[in-house]
Amino acid sequence: MYLALLASALLVGTLLAVQASVNLQLNRAVGTPYGASTLQLSVAAGLLLVATLVVGSIGALGDVSDVTWWHLLGGIASPIYITSGILLIPRLGAVTTVGLWVTGQMLASLVLDLGGFIGVKQVPINLLIVLGAAAVVAGITVVVRGQNAAIKAGPGTAVAADARPTLGSQSGWLVLGVLAGGVLPVQGAINAKLRADLHAPIAVALISFIVATLFIAIVLVILLAAKKTPQPKLSGLKGMPWWGWLGGACAAIYVTVTFLLIPEIGAATTVAFTVLGQQLASAVIDQNGFFRLPRRKLTAPRLIGVGLLIAGSILVQLAK
């Protein structure tokens, strides 16, 4: 049974990489990343509403008015994470993007654990944590350098010419990737507080995605009013492949399963195995050009970087 739970954590980790990749099709169909994120989050919220009704925990929503207000804000992290994937994967590739997310996740997780913030149990620093953090930083450095080497080698080895950033122009995208990954542990800590308030994990996931959908919808309206993003083109959805809708399902399944796994196998093990799934899936997607993405060869340095990221993530989580 325990092995089945570990396999489940690994599988839902792969869904994060799949989610980020298929969302690009939604973005191409709609014509704006903010519109695509709004649609994807709406789908996830709809699926979780059905799940909440099926398990009979819809009544927990009636207790929301008694919850501390900031316990409801965990969902804001989701549109940041999803939109970053739509923006970054065409420019940096799945491996580099996921590597940046993992780096952000690990660094933010360490800040929460070492400081005991947002109700997270404080963990004293130890050798494994130091080694794990060093491996994560070294790993993402190797991955990014491998990406830059591929870019310099020419369009046949990296990405399309119009999407290849120069080394100097990458800094903003790299920071976005780390920040987008960093909001996930914060989201998890806030949602844990909400779960303690409501005692209904699937209802908590539903609330998180409702907040996420409302947040990105407001951002979309503001950007449209300021003429900073194109008008969404829903007519483009007709030509989108069916699997372009899978991002919402991946997100809903990931959140629900991780909520259920953490009490069974622990938060550290859950995070370690989902990170492993993310990295493996992103490597396969990049290598084979799945989901209509350009192929990016997994050179030896990039594979070493991915290995360091995985090893460092596992060390950090198991040291807690």
Side-chain angles (χ1 to χ4, degrees), residues 70-309:
W70 63 269
H71 291 184
L72 301 171
L73 300 182
I76 293 176
S78 292
I80 297 173
Y81 171 80
I82 291 169
T83 306
S84 76
I86 294 173
L87 294 171
L88 293 177
I89 288 180
R91 293 171 169 84
L92 304 179
V95 167
T96 303
T97 299
V98 172
L100 292 169
W101 286 339
V102 169
T103 302
Q105 282 178 266
M106 292 302 104
L107 295 179
S109 176
L110 285 177
V111 171
L112 291 175
D113 288 335
L114 297 178
F117 300 120
I118 318 181
V120 174
K121 182 180 178 182
Q122 190 169 15
V123 175
I125 193 168
N126 56 56
L127 180 60
L128 284 181
I129 286 178
V130 173
L131 291 176
V136 167
V137 173
I140 192 55
T141 301
V142 172
V143 167
V144 171
R145 286 184 175 178
Q147 173 73 9
N148 290 330
I151 289 171
K152 292 176 182 178
T157 58
V159 298
D162 61 350
R164 292 203 309 274
T166 64
L167 178 60
S169 68
Q170 276 191 338
S171 57
W173 299 118
L174 299 179
V175 171
L176 174 61
V178 173
L179 290 177
V183 299
L184 293 181
V186 177
Q187 178 187 47
I190 294 175
N191 282 347
K193 302 291 263 183
L194 185 59
R195 179 175 180 175
D197 294 333
L198 301 181
H199 306 288
I202 297 181
V204 169
L206 171 60
I207 292 169
S208 182
F209 275 92
I210 290 174
V211 171
T213 304
L214 291 174
F215 178 81
I216 193 62
I218 292 170
V219 170
L220 175 61
V221 169
I222 292 172
L223 291 175
L224 287 172
K227 298 183 179 181
K228 295 296 185 181
T229 193
Q231 186 80 24
K233 299 176 182 178
L234 299 183
S235 60
L237 295 173
K238 296 178 181 179
M240 186 179 70
W242 65 269
W243 45 264
W245 290 105
L246 291 180
C250 290
I253 293 171
Y254 172 81
V255 170
T256 303
V257 173
T258 51
F259 263 134
L260 298 174
L261 284 175
I262 286 174
E264 299 296 328
I265 63 176
T269 304
T270 300
V271 171
F273 274 81
T274 54
V275 164
L276 176 59
Q278 279 180 273
Q279 287 292 336
L280 293 177
S282 64
V284 171
I285 290 169
D286 256 7
Q287 177 72 16
N288 296 282
F290 289 147
F291 306 116
R292 299 183 180 177
L293 293 173
R295 291 187 179 184
R296 292 173 171 84
K297 186 178 179 181
L298 294 178
T299 60
R302 296 182 78 195
L303 286 172
I304 292 172
V306 170
L308 285 170
L309 279 167

